[in-house]
Amino acid sequence: MTPSEETALRNAARPRRRRRLRLILILLPLVLFAAVLYMGAAITCRPAWYQPLSIDYQRLEDDKRAQHRLENTISAALNDRRPVVIELDEAQVNRWIAARDELWPTEVPSIEPFSHPQVVLESRNRIRLAAQVEHAGTQVVLSAMFHVDLQPDAVVVTWDSVQAGTLPTPRVLLEKAARKVAGYADLPDQAVADGRITLPNEWLWPNGKRPFRITGFTITSGKLRVQLEPL
């Protein structure tokens, strides 16, 4: 190839390179803008399964009686040193959560900045917890999936996924929250590690100060079954 032909090829390539550069400069902001829009839409998206309950005043008295029966049943069994089995359905649990200030007006801690909590009982011992939190003037649904593994001397709770709206978020955020919970419960530092929190399987029932252990724990779709045994 002669020098003049090489020069002609270089001159022909320059406009193509300039066109590619202009294309990149135009498309890159559009792609970034689309990504931001997607993230914003995903974060603010309300998952279809998220349906938190409000207080059902027509059923409130029945829910209060059910709560009293449950507490009395547990107290009677443990104080008599007998095992007891608790069976609950998801709807009842969420009605109690919605009416928590009515049921335990002086005992329930504040969950701020969260609101409208919901529990979803799923198969294979999984629990989904969700609540709303305000972010930049927008209500965002935060949710996390937990798996509960009952061991002879411990209850191990592993978080499988964390989401803001429908967008996955770093699990480290939940780990930080779990460490705060462990600190409030006076658990050792090693109780939270590798995406899980390990709780000693020794508990104290407040009515009668009776120590007990969880010896059975099963979650199926919408149902919870727990067996307690006195120590």
Side-chain angles (χ1 to χ4, degrees):
M1 181 179 294
T2 65
S4 60
E5 288 174 334
E6 291 179 355
T7 301
L9 286 175
R10 285 196 297 270
N11 291 337
R14 285 170 186 164
R16 290 198 296 270
R17 286 197 295 267
R18 285 196 292 268
R19 284 196 297 270
R20 284 198 297 268
L21 180 59
R22 286 196 296 268
L23 193 62
I24 291 172
L25 291 176
I26 293 171
L27 289 182
L28 183 58
L30 292 177
V31 170
L32 292 176
F33 181 63
V36 170
L37 285 180
Y38 165 75
M39 292 179 63
I43 289 174
T44 57
C45 177
R46 181 186 175 106
W49 53 262
Y50 180 65
Q51 300 291 335
L53 299 181
S54 300
I55 298 178
D56 186 344
Y57 287 100
Q58 293 184 341
R59 303 188 63 165
L60 182 57
E61 292 305 316
D62 289 338
D63 289 335
K64 286 182 178 181
R65 284 190 287 268
Q67 175 249 328
H68 288 310
R69 282 196 303 270
L70 177 63
E71 292 184 356
N72 290 338
T73 297
I74 297 173
S75 295
L78 295 182
N79 286 323
D80 199 31
R81 299 189 180 278
R82 292 182 288 106
V84 59
V85 174
I86 305 166
E87 293 185 346
L88 297 172
D89 64 71
E90 182 181 297
Q92 178 67 86
V93 171
N94 281 294
R95 288 201 305 274
W96 282 339
I97 291 174
R100 59 192 180 279
D101 291 331
E102 299 280 346
L103 299 173
W104 306 282
T106 62
E107 301 174 19
V108 177
S110 171
I111 63 170
E112 292 183 356
F114 302 100
S115 63
H116 302 96
Q118 180 183 358
V119 172
V120 181
L121 302 177
E122 305 203 2
S123 58
R124 301 193 302 275
N125 282 11
R126 294 179 302 161
I127 303 175
R128 188 191 300 271
L129 302 181
Q132 282 187 347
V133 64
E134 185 171 326
H135 176 70
T138 302
Q139 292 295 328
V140 178
V141 177
L142 295 181
S143 63
M145 179 73 78
F146 299 88
H147 176 267
V148 182
D149 179 28
L150 179 62
Q151 300 178 0
D153 298 320
V155 179
V156 180
V157 181
T158 305
W159 43 92
D160 298 328
S161 63
V162 185
Q163 290 183 316
T166 58
L167 187 70
T169 58
R171 298 196 332 173
V172 66
L173 298 178
L174 190 56
E175 187 158 335
K176 289 181 179 179
R179 291 189 184 280
K180 288 185 179 181
V181 172
Y184 294 147
D186 295 325
L187 296 176
D189 292 339
Q190 62 270 25
V192 179
D194 301 324
R196 68 191 62 180
I197 181 168
T198 302
L199 306 171
N201 193 9
E202 293 185 8
W203 314 84
L204 188 68
W205 184 251
N207 187 354
K209 305 298 182 183
R210 290 296 183 181
F212 68 92
R213 176 175 297 168
I214 301 174
T215 55
F217 189 95
T218 305
I219 298 176
T220 56
S221 182
K223 301 289 183 181
L224 169 66
R225 187 180 188 275
V226 183
Q227 179 169 318
L228 313 178
E229 289 191 6
L231 294 175

